[in-house]
Amino acid sequence: MTNTRPNFVRNCWYVAGWDYEFTAGKPHPRTFLAEPVVFYRKGDGTLVAMADRCVHRLAPLSLGRLEGDDIRCMYHGMRFTADGKCVEIPGQDMIPSSACIQTYPVVEKGSWAWIWMGDPHLADAALLPDARGLDDPVWVLKSGQLDYAAPHELINDNLLDLSHLAYVHVASFGATPGWITQQPRTTQIERGVRVERWVESAPPLPPLPSLAAYESVDMWASYEFLIPGVFLMYTSLHPPGTAKGSNHAAPAGDVLFSNFTCQAVTPLTAGSSRYFFSWGPGSQFGGEEIAQQMIDVAMAAFLEDKLIIEAQARIIAMSPGEKIMPNAADRTVTIFQRMMERMKHPASTSS
Ligand code: FES
Ligand SMILES: [Fe+2]
């Protein structure tokens, strides 16, 4: 049979959702990488994922019924175990060995549920990105998600080039031109890139009493962007002059405020994506109220991204054959895109 599946990186962990989405007692249908997937919890709480497609006549198992740790297709009643094996065909004694549903490795770690949609033998929990959970004691994190009518690659590109803050996020983040005039330092790391930069003369936000004495601050922003689209960013605010005093290397000395954000992009189909995010202050700098303010501002910013990225996707769809013209800010985008291409074609030796 011809493989007509869209060309996704498969041997990696994708975020399937927040653990709180997958409530016990019912199947949860999803579409990831253009494949129908059903999730449910076994009696002991373990999350399982399998193709949302009965082997009989391809009806969705998510319209089925949980029976203990099994799921029964509610079209003609075939019953499957959590490892996808058919154990009952009503009206028939013989169960063919081929009556199996494809299952996917799933791991829940720190509030995030991850799914591996490639070769299950390569699924390795050691490859999970270090996305912090909502109960992480170091940070006070709030969470959210947004669906995009745009390919996941365009959202990855956006997160790999934060120069867009200077234009897209002036209203939400109060971003200054420093995001585009001060070039970041990019380092290739295992399964991704690290991007570090100072933004000098940044506004002292959020409006905290501890920042009120400053007209502006120096902001250090350091993030990792990991295969297939996981963004982990640490940001800290420092007294003016810290960037120059550190020779624009990683900061040492007083931290006025810090925050952390985890974001992840998962393709739903070739042209649609789900964007998961958390954000919040270091626990010594703020509690629930500051965290809520930050996630509200982040949501406003992410809607700014969604507006331009979905519009960009529509233009690209109408522009077959048109090529992009990379500029200096695209260096990190290009490095990461090459890593993704190599993972789609692991046998390739081209750079
Ligand atoms: S389609 Fe599932 S039992 Fe018939
Ligand atoms: Fe953005």
Side-chain angles (χ1 to χ4, degrees), residues 37-51:
V37 183
V38 59
F39 293 80
Y40 68 89
R41 290 195 186 277
K42 296 200 294 187
D44 66 1
T46 309
L47 189 62
V48 298
M50 63 177 71

Side-chain angles (χ1 to χ4, degrees), residues 54 56-59 73 75-78:
C54 178
H56 177 219
R57 299 188 69 80
L58 315 187
C73 177
Y75 200 179
H76 313 96
M78 286 174 68

Side-chain angles (χ1 to χ4, degrees), residues 177-262:
W179 281 96
I180 204 160
T181 56
Q182 293 166 323
Q183 289 295 319
R185 182 169 54 241
T186 298
T187 315
Q188 198 162 326
I189 58 174
E190 183 82 16
R191 294 176 81 86
V193 289
R194 179 177 299 121
V195 183
E196 300 165 304
R197 55 153 47 91
W198 281 100
V199 178
E200 296 170 83
S201 303
L205 293 172
L208 297 172
S210 56
L211 297 175
Y214 297 93
E215 273 183 26
S216 70
V217 291
D218 284 357
M219 177 191 293
W220 169 254
S222 170
Y223 69 90
E224 292 184 355
F225 197 81
L226 304 168
I227 300 281
V230 178
F231 175 93
L232 308 173
M233 184 166 79
Y234 168 82
T235 305
S236 54
L237 303 184
H238 304 265
T242 304
K244 284 197 177 65
S246 314
N247 285 326
H248 293 90
D254 285 355
V255 177
L256 302 174
F257 181 74
S258 68
N259 67 78
F260 192 71
T261 176
C262 304

Side-chain angles (χ1 to χ4, degrees), residues 260-341:
F260 192 71
T261 176
C262 304
Q263 303 172 23
V265 185
T266 301
L268 303 180
T269 64
S272 63
S273 312
R274 185 157 293 169
Y275 180 42
F276 301 92
F277 48 86
S278 66
W279 211 320
S283 51
Q284 75 271 42
F285 294 112
E288 293 289 316
E289 194 180 335
I290 300 296
Q292 190 60 50
Q293 278 178 27
M294 293 190 72
I295 201 74
D296 289 346
V297 170
M299 181 55 106
F302 297 153
L303 290 172
E304 292 166 341
D305 284 317
K306 182 172 152 74
L307 186 71
I308 188 119
I309 292 171
E310 289 186 340
Q312 177 195 18
R314 289 193 293 274
I315 298 294
I316 290 172
M318 286 189 282
S319 311
E322 290 292 334
K323 296 232 179 323
I324 61 156
M325 189 204 71
N327 65 22
D330 286 314
R331 185 170 161 264
T332 311
V333 175
T334 305
I335 292 171
F336 188 80
Q337 285 178 345
R338 285 186 182 152
M339 295 177 93
M340 290 283 275
E341 282 306 309

Side-chain angles (χ1 to χ4, degrees), residues 18-250:
W18 295 102
D19 57 2
Y20 57 72
E21 292 178 49
F22 301 108
T23 49
K26 64 174 197 174
H28 297 271
R30 295 288 187 274
T31 301
F32 294 130
L33 281 59
E35 294 181 21
V37 183
V38 59
F39 293 80
Y40 68 89
R41 290 195 186 277
K42 296 200 294 187
D44 66 1
T46 309
L47 189 62
V48 298
M50 63 177 71
D52 191 11
R53 185 172 46 228
C54 178
V55 289
H56 177 219
R57 299 188 69 80
L58 315 187
L61 291 171
S62 55
L63 290 180
R65 183 169 71 201
L66 298 186
E67 297 183 4
D69 288 350
D70 298 347
I71 187 165
R72 185 184 297 279
C73 177
M74 290 301 281
Y75 200 179
H76 313 96
M78 286 174 68
R79 176 171 167 152
F80 303 90
T81 62
D83 53 9
K85 190 165 174 288
C86 181
V87 288
E88 185 185 341
I89 302 178
Q92 176 177 325
D93 292 335
M94 210 278 288
I95 299 176
S97 59
S98 60
C100 267
I101 309 289
Q102 179 186 359
T103 59
Y104 300 96
V106 172
V107 174
E108 290 184 278
K109 187 180 169 204
S111 312
W112 301 82
W114 303 85
I115 185 168
W116 183 280
M117 299 192 67
D119 180 348
H121 299 105
L122 300 178
D124 179 356
L127 298 176
L128 284 167
D130 189 20
R132 300 307 172 89
L134 301 178
D135 57 354
D136 190 297
V138 179
W139 309 101
V140 184
L141 299 171
K142 298 282 184 189
S143 64
Q145 64 191 67
L146 274 176
D147 280 358
Y148 267 75
H152 66 289
E153 292 95 335
L154 295 185
I155 309 170
N156 284 358
D157 294 351
N158 168 277
L159 293 167
L160 285 157
D161 173 12
L162 297 190
S163 70
H164 78 271
L165 269 77
Y167 293 93
V168 177
H169 300 314
V170 176
S172 56
F173 287 142
T176 55
W179 281 96
I180 204 160
T181 56
Q182 293 166 323
Q183 289 295 319
R185 182 169 54 241
T186 298
T187 315
Q188 198 162 326
I189 58 174
E190 183 82 16
R191 294 176 81 86
V193 289
R194 179 177 299 121
V195 183
E196 300 165 304
R197 55 153 47 91
W198 281 100
V199 178
E200 296 170 83
S201 303
L205 293 172
L208 297 172
S210 56
L211 297 175
Y214 297 93
E215 273 183 26
S216 70
V217 291
D218 284 357
M219 177 191 293
W220 169 254
S222 170
Y223 69 90
E224 292 184 355
F225 197 81
L226 304 168
I227 300 281
V230 178
F231 175 93
L232 308 173
M233 184 166 79
Y234 168 82
T235 305
S236 54
L237 303 184
H238 304 265
T242 304
K244 284 197 177 65
S246 314
N247 285 326
H248 293 90

